[in-house]
């Protein structure tokens, strides 16, 4: 397809890994002459990078695809991502969709577009489980204010009973340590100070490589790279928080004291039926031990309510464990059936009204915990990486433990590390006074 004056628009659903991959594809298309257009405007090509983690994500993907064609009936509409990988034939039945490109072929999407006139098949997906090696993307430089994301791993071998993602992403595949370091070195030269390590199952990093490399090895290596000031770790399973991991977090100030925990439940029976391979006791022991060893450690988490067979007592067990640990934020999901999963076959489904009520209870707990965790920092000094400065003269950014901070009467500039003394709390925002730049 001739790129002269061609416009391309992106819509990305789901996780940061999807966003990272969209950014890489976008950068490659721009390099060969395509012009990026806002998704809500008329474009020649619309690319929707889909998610299938919930039925709501599926529905949103379908709605976005239909909307794209309405904005320009002459456009080419392409769907890629996890939903495209798992439900390619179903998606192609939607008349507004022109091509379906699965995750197995996503990294070759740019070449596909360049030769699109010669495509006889409208579906390009292969068996994702045949992918044995990590598929390199051109450096994506996915930016979020002053932070850059680094993808280190793809796929998952766990096959939790509720989760469809292995069918969309395939088996766990790790990126080489050399490639990861090369990307970070490029980005530090561009001025980035903070890096967020992302993947589908970070704790599995290195398990498929023929070496001694692991997530812990990677972290020890990355923090030593010139120009790296902050390193954040994305979502973790509780059982992947090893004693060595705790020691590394404890002894290196460049590793930020925050983790997003893939929690889902804190009841032993539910966890077993979810095929999580650990119980509530391990969750408490690991998270509390890490908090004891790392100053100002904070957690956010994903939780599923209304999993098949979850009784009031089981839900209460989850509630009590979450409350005892204390989280700065929760993402609460009501269980929804996913085809191909084991839980989809379970017959003891929970009434939608019960699921909604449990979600509301956890939402109230989320608010209480968030307030309590943030109030602990009033009167304390935190370091903030400035991400934006608004017209009111205030700067906004995140503390090391991922609490959003508003600094009054700021003299700092974007991408600067400053000291901020917390004076107040405004909903979920810490209010601070600037106390100077970091030494």
């Amino acid at each position: 397809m001739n790129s002269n004056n061609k416009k391309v628009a992106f819509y990305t659903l789901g996780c940061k890994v999807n966003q990272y991959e969209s950014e890489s594809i976008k950068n490659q298309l721009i390099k060969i002459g395509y012009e990026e257009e806002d998704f809500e405007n008329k474009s020649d090509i619309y690319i929707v990078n889909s998610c299938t983690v919930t039925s709501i994500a599926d529905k949103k993907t379908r709605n976005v695809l239909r909307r794209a064609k309405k904005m320009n009936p002459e456009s080419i509409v392409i769907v890629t991502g996890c939903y495209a990988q798992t439900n390619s034939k179903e998606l192609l039945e939607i008349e507004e969709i022109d091509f379906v490109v699965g995750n197995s072929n996503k990294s070759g999407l740019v070449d596909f577009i360049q030769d699109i006139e010669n495509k006889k098949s409208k579906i390009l997906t292969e068996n994702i489980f045949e992918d044995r090696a990590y598929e390199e993307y051109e450096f994506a430089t996915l930016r979020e204010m002053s932070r850059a994301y680094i993808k280190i791993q793809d796929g998952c071998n766990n096959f939790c009973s509720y989760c469809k993602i292995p069918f969309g992403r395939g088996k766990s595949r790790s990126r080489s340590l050399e490639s990861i370091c090369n990307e970070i070195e490029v980005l530090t030269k561009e001025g980035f100070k903070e890096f967020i390590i992302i993947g589908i199952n970070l704790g599995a990093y290195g398990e498929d490589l023929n070496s001694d490399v692991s997530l812990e090895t990677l972290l020890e290596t990355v923090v030593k790279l010139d120009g790296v000031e902050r390193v954040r770790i994305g979502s973790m399973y509780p059982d992947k928080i090893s004693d060595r991991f705790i020691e590394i977090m404890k002894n290196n100030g460049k590793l930020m004291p925050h983790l997003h925990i893939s929690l889902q439940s804190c009841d032993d029976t539910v966890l077993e039926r979810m095929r999580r391979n650990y119980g509530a006791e391990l969750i408490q022991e690991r998270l509390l031990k890490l908090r004891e060893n790392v100053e100002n450690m904070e957690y956010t988490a994903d939780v599923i309510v209304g999993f098949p067979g979850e009784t009031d007592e089981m839900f209460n067990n989850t509630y009590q464990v979450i409350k005892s640990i204390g989280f700065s934020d929760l993402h609460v999901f009501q269980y929804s059936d996913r085809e191909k999963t084991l839980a989809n076959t379970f017959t003891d489904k929970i009434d939608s009204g019960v699921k909604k009520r449990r979600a509301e209870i956890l939402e109230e707990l989320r608010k209480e915990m968030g307030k309590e965790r943030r109030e602990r920092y009033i009167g304390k000094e935190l370091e903030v990486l400035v991400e934006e400065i608004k017209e009111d003269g205030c700067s906004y950014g995140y503390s090391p433990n991922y609490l959003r901070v508003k600094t009054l009467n700021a003299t700092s500039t974007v991408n600067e590390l400053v000291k901020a003394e917390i004076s107040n709390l405004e909903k979920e925002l810490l209010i601070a006074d600037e106390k100077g730049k970091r030494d």
Side-chain angles (χ1 to χ4, degrees):
M1 185 174 191
N2 193 317
S3 61
N4 292 342
N5 302 315
K6 291 288 184 181
K7 294 183 178 181
V8 59
F10 282 81
Y11 196 106
T12 304
L13 297 100
C15 65
K16 294 296 183 185
V17 172
N18 252 11
Q19 293 178 40
Y20 178 97
E21 292 164 355
S22 287
E23 197 70 17
S24 176
I25 295 164
K26 182 195 303 179
N27 290 348
Q28 292 175 64
L29 287 171
I30 289 171
K31 278 184 180 179
I32 60 173
Y34 285 85
E35 180 183 338
E36 183 186 2
E37 182 57 81
D38 186 272
F39 195 84
E40 302 304 323
N41 295 337
K42 185 177 180 180
S43 183
D44 299 293
I45 302 174
Y46 293 93
I47 299 174
V48 177
N49 198 349
S50 65
C51 173
T52 190
V53 73
T54 65
S55 58
I56 294 172
D58 288 352
K59 182 179 179 181
K60 189 169 183 180
T61 295
R62 294 191 296 269
N63 290 340
V64 169
L65 287 161
R66 290 186 174 105
R67 200 166 82 229
K69 204 67 166 182
K70 287 179 182 176
M71 288 182 283
N72 181 9
E74 302 302 316
S75 66
I76 294 172
V77 176
I78 301 171
V79 57
T80 186
C82 292
Y83 192 20
Q85 181 67 41
T86 60
N87 297 73
S88 57
K89 292 179 181 178
E90 172 191 317
L91 282 167
L92 206 58
E93 290 175 2
I94 300 174
E95 61 178 342
E96 290 89 349
I97 298 174
D98 294 297
F99 294 98
V100 179
V101 179
N103 279 331
S104 57
N105 302 84
K106 188 193 284 184
S107 62
L109 186 55
V110 174
D111 291 336
F112 179 88
I113 290 171
Q114 286 183 281
D115 191 39
I116 211 160
E117 289 93 345
N118 298 319
K119 300 301 178 188
K120 294 178 181 177
S121 173
K122 294 196 171 186
I123 296 180
L124 183 61
T125 59
E126 295 171 16
N127 186 350
I128 195 80
F129 293 110
E130 292 180 358
D131 289 353
R132 291 289 185 267
Y134 179 89
E135 189 86 33
E136 285 285 354
Y137 281 76
E138 182 173 313
F139 290 170
T141 59
L142 171 60
R143 300 168 172 86
E144 189 176 89
M145 301 296 187
S146 299
R147 294 173 285 170
Y149 289 82
I150 306 294
K151 182 185 172 188
I152 69 164
Q153 180 272 344
D154 205 341
C156 183
N157 298 339
N158 287 8
F159 288 92
C160 295
S161 67
Y162 58 85
C163 185
K164 190 179 168 184
I165 295 306
F167 301 99
R169 285 282 175 179
K171 292 186 176 182
S172 182
R173 297 154 344 257
S174 303
R175 185 179 181 184
S176 75
L177 187 56
E178 180 184 11
S179 175
I180 293 165
C181 291
N182 287 343
E183 182 172 11
I184 292 174
E185 286 169 352
V186 168
L187 291 170
T188 55
K189 289 174 183 175
E190 290 185 21
F192 286 93
K193 293 183 171 71
E194 180 171 308
F195 299 91
I196 303 178
I197 307 298
I198 59 172
I200 300 301
N201 182 1
L202 286 181
Y205 178 78
E207 291 177 358
D208 58 310
L209 299 177
N210 296 320
S211 65
D212 295 328
V213 71
S214 64
L215 178 63
E216 289 88 348
T217 310
L218 180 144
L219 295 174
E220 289 176 322
T221 303
V222 166
V223 295
K224 293 175 184 175
L225 297 176
D226 290 342
V228 174
E229 299 277 357
R230 285 179 159 191
V231 178
R232 292 193 184 277
I233 304 161
S235 183
M236 287 280 288
Y237 283 39
D239 61 327
K240 294 297 185 180
I241 301 174
S242 65
D243 285 344
R244 184 182 170 201
F245 180 89
I246 292 172
E247 280 299 305
I248 293 169
M249 290 284 287
K250 177 182 178 181
N251 296 320
N252 201 302
K254 289 186 178 180
L255 292 173
M256 297 294 95
H258 167 262
L259 284 181
H260 184 76
I261 306 298
S262 178
L263 200 63
Q264 315 312 349
S265 176
C266 299
D267 175 80
D268 287 346
T269 300
V270 174
L271 286 167
E272 184 177 359
R273 296 191 84 202
M274 285 181 167
R275 299 178 65 176
R276 296 292 278 184
N277 301 320
Y278 56 84
E281 185 177 345
L282 180 138
I283 294 171
Q284 285 185 292
E285 190 273 329
R286 292 286 86 188
L287 297 192
L288 293 177
K289 183 173 183 178
L290 182 56
R291 181 170 276 158
E292 287 168 6
N293 281 272
V294 178
E295 186 180 8
N296 294 337
M297 189 72 201
E298 293 293 347
Y299 301 115
T300 53
D302 294 327
V303 186
I304 295 172
V305 297
F307 186 78
E310 184 187 58
T311 63
D312 287 341
E313 181 182 359
M314 294 171 190
F315 170 72
N316 187 56
N317 289 339
T318 293
Y319 181 97
Q320 293 302 331
V321 172
I322 289 173
K323 186 176 181 180
S324 69
I325 295 169
F327 291 79
S328 59
D329 202 2
L330 294 176
H331 299 154
V332 181
F333 300 89
Q334 297 178 45
Y335 170 82
S336 65
D337 282 327
R338 303 276 70 209
E339 71 267 31
K340 299 183 180 180
T341 65
L342 179 62
N344 190 40
T345 67
F346 295 168
T347 57
D348 48 354
K349 299 296 194 296
I350 305 300
D351 179 78
S352 60
V354 174
K355 289 192 286 188
K356 183 173 183 289
R357 187 162 61 252
R358 289 176 183 171
E360 290 169 349
I361 291 169
L362 277 189
E363 176 62 20
E364 285 303 310
L365 178 61
R366 182 193 75 82
K367 292 176 183 176
E368 292 170 14
M369 289 190 302
K371 184 172 183 289
E372 191 273 331
R373 296 303 309 176
R374 286 164 177 78
E375 285 177 341
R376 292 168 179 257
Y377 299 99
I378 294 176
K380 292 185 178 182
E381 190 177 277
L382 297 175
E383 184 180 271
V384 177
L385 178 62
V386 178
E387 296 193 340
E388 58 179 331
I389 298 172
K390 295 191 175 178
E391 293 178 357
D392 59 6
C394 299
S395 70
Y396 294 79
Y398 282 89
S399 66
N401 49 15
Y402 206 61
L403 301 176
R404 189 156 171 79
V405 180
K406 174 183 178 181
T407 305
L408 307 174
N409 303 314
T411 62
S412 52
T413 58
V414 170
N415 205 28
E416 209 166 23
L417 287 161
V418 299
K419 298 174 183 176
E421 185 177 302
I422 310 303
S423 60
N424 202 356
L425 184 61
E426 189 178 284
K427 293 185 178 179
E428 296 182 0
L429 198 62
L430 292 175
I431 309 302
D433 297 305
E434 192 177 290
K435 293 297 178 181
K437 298 174 178 59
R438 192 178 74 166
D439 298 330

